Amino acid sequence: MSDQNSTTPRVFIARHGETEWTINGRCTGKSDIPLTANGVGQVRGTGQLLVGDRKLIDPSKIAHVFCSPRQRAQSTLDLLLGDSQKDKLVKEGKITTTEDIAEWDYGDYEGVTPHDIRALRKEKGLDTDKTWDIWTDGCEGGESAEQVRERLDRLIQSIYNIQKPHMNGGAAADVLIVAHGHILRAFTKRWLKYPMEFPFTMMMEPGAIGVMSYAHHNISEPAILIGMGFPQNS
């Protein structure tokens, strides 16, 4: 499926499959919630369609993988790549497990729905003149938006360092990130150089894949790839 003539490196962002807390909308940060059977099926379906030789995500073209430490992300990575491809990348030193792409630390709001968070904050006398917004208010006992921005910017700089030498061809330098819905939306904002509070509404289904790249083969112009063609394989 992949365009073999493409020379601009890409960053694939993969959200883990469904968990029980995904179903009921509870904020899931550090809690190690496993995938449901349906979540496993979601990721397997994505992998079968999009991951493999000459497909959208071609493991032979991956320069590095960054994965959240949480088991739902680790399981998703295993399902996407399969044992043989993952083992090969591990032996090549191309897989990094890092807290830089772990889910937002929700602190006191862990396991609570956004609706109930807003109610709890109102009871405490917070947000009397506005509605709670994680992008500006952060989480009590957890991370602020600034703390999340700092770790994402550090990760993005690492990706730049990997991909900058390959902006006009040469060795394949795609990057795969496997993580969580909220942190991947935050990553997208920072990839596009938007401030965390920028009102950029995004959705990402469990088991979904998003694609980032660069405009004009320029490391200084990170972009979101909102559409791409799928040339016929020969």
Side-chain angles (χ1 to χ4, degrees), residues 1-154:
M1 287 184 184
S2 61
D3 183 352
Q4 300 301 305
N5 294 319
S6 176
T7 58
T8 307
R10 296 165 297 182
V11 178
F12 300 107
I13 58 173
R15 183 184 176 187
H16 65 75
E18 174 192 270
T19 70
E20 288 295 338
W21 284 16
T22 307
I23 297 170
N24 52 37
R26 297 166 69 181
C27 291
T28 317
K30 291 186 174 181
S31 297
D32 233 358
I33 310 297
L35 300 181
T36 62
N38 185 55
V40 170
Q42 289 170 334
V43 178
R44 281 183 173 154
T46 297
Q48 289 169 3
L49 185 65
L50 299 180
V51 182
D53 181 46
R54 296 180 63 82
K55 293 185 178 181
L56 177 66
I57 303 175
D58 186 336
S60 70
K61 297 181 180 298
I62 292 177
H64 210 85
V65 177
F66 295 97
C67 187
S68 163
R70 307 290 91 82
Q71 67 163 308
R72 56 197 185 274
Q74 293 286 322
S75 296
T76 295
L77 175 60
D78 292 344
L79 291 164
L80 281 176
L81 292 180
D83 291 342
S84 61
Q85 291 290 355
K86 184 184 177 185
D87 288 348
K88 184 174 184 294
L89 290 170
V90 168
K91 289 176 181 177
E92 293 171 350
K94 292 182 178 179
I95 295 183
T96 298
T97 296
T98 174
E99 289 284 348
D100 281 351
I101 198 60
E103 183 58 292
W104 200 304
D105 181 355
Y106 294 111
D108 297 348
Y109 306 149
E110 184 78 3
V112 184
T113 67
H115 176 271
D116 289 342
I117 291 170
R118 294 185 178 97
L120 287 169
R121 288 175 64 89
K122 290 290 186 182
E123 290 175 3
K124 292 182 177 182
L126 302 171
D127 311 324
T128 57
D129 58 347
K130 62 180 182 61
T131 300
W132 172 72
D133 182 356
I134 193 171
W135 300 105
T136 54
D137 302 320
C139 298
E140 292 182 284
E143 285 185 298
S144 67
E146 178 63 17
Q147 288 172 315
V148 172
R149 183 197 65 77
E150 288 177 358
R151 61 183 173 96
L152 288 176
D153 286 358
R154 181 168 59 239

Side-chain angles (χ1 to χ4, degrees), residues 151-163:
R151 61 183 173 96
L152 288 176
D153 286 358
R154 181 168 59 239
L155 175 63
I156 288 170
Q157 185 59 56
S158 296
I159 295 171
Y160 288 169
N161 293 342
I162 292 168
Q163 295 185 324

Side-chain angles (χ1 to χ4, degrees), residues 173-215:
D174 288 340
V175 166
L176 171 63
I177 296 174
V178 183
H180 314 268
H182 205 154
I183 200 66
L184 290 174
R185 286 182 283 144
F187 176 88
T188 301
K189 283 189 180 185
R190 293 308 301 153
W191 184 260
L192 297 174
K193 301 183 179 181
Y194 293 156
M196 292 289 279
E197 67 273 15
F198 185 76
F200 184 46
T201 303
M202 293 166 278
M203 297 175 65
M204 192 174 193
E205 296 181 348
I209 301 290
V211 190
M212 309 292 159
S213 191
Y214 304 86

